[in-house]
Amino acid sequence: MAMIHERMNRGRTQMGWLDSFHTFSFGGFMDPTRMGFRNLRVINEDRVVPGAGFSAHRHEHMDILTYVLSGALSHQDSLGNSATIQAGEFQLMSAGNGVTHSEHNASQTEPVHFLQIWLIPERQIDHPTYDSILISNQDVDNRFGLVAGPDTTTNGLSLLSNTRVYLARLRDGQVLSHEFDPAHAGFLHVVSGHIDINGEGLATGDALEFEHRDGCTITAHSEAELLLFDLS
């Protein structure tokens, strides 16, 4: 079973300072066929104008993974964390029983472009946690490099679910495969570029969800950047 999430069918929020595309139902965008996939609940692609951003707001019992694609994003939270997340960097905030944070474009002259991903935990923690990781090209060049995984992993950021998040960057013509536990499911989001996956053509902003397969094979038809979710 496989389903394409076409980029043109994503929800969209435009607020002057914010232009946001929603792969799954979020905010004012509601589609009962797009309520998430397994424990993957949100993928928002956000662009924020210089100097603007999200004022302080609260989250509970959610793993929130942010990936900055270009520009820089400033983060502050009620844990006392204050950081500027640069392009190529992932931030993970596990909200626990509750955390308040704000996010703003760190630049007064350039926009910031980022993905924000919500993953539903499989176990709960009381105290929120915060971490970040910078992904180098050598870690993801024509391979799926681990970004985040179960808290038993020794690499990447620690999630509160049996989920693994991978990033890959491919050159035109490269072929890449990934094997799955048969009980797991996959969700591939095309950050940029044009690819084929298991015979399906996808482009920037498209995604493919699939179950009951033991793997996937991807062929790049341009330079491409991909996020792969291996979901239990």
Side-chain angles (χ1 to χ4, degrees), residues 132-144:
S132 63
I133 187 172
L134 179 65
I135 303 297
S136 67
N137 280 328
Q138 67 181 9
D139 292 331
V140 296
D141 182 14
N142 197 36
R143 63 186 292 263
F144 281 115

Side-chain angles (χ1 to χ4, degrees), residues 156-178:
L157 302 169
S158 294
L159 297 171
L160 296 173
S161 63
N162 188 20
T163 298
R164 287 175 172 81
V165 182
Y166 299 92
L167 180 72
R169 297 182 182 130
L170 281 67
R171 291 182 292 275
D172 187 7
Q174 287 187 313
V175 178
L176 180 62
S177 296
H178 180 78

Side-chain angles (χ1 to χ4, degrees), residues 1-5 24 33 36-37 186-188 207-211:
M1 173 185 172
M3 182 173 79
I4 295 176
H5 292 258
F24 300 113
T33 68
F37 181 57
F187 192 94
L188 184 89
L208 181 73
E209 69 174 59
F210 49 96
E211 296 179 290

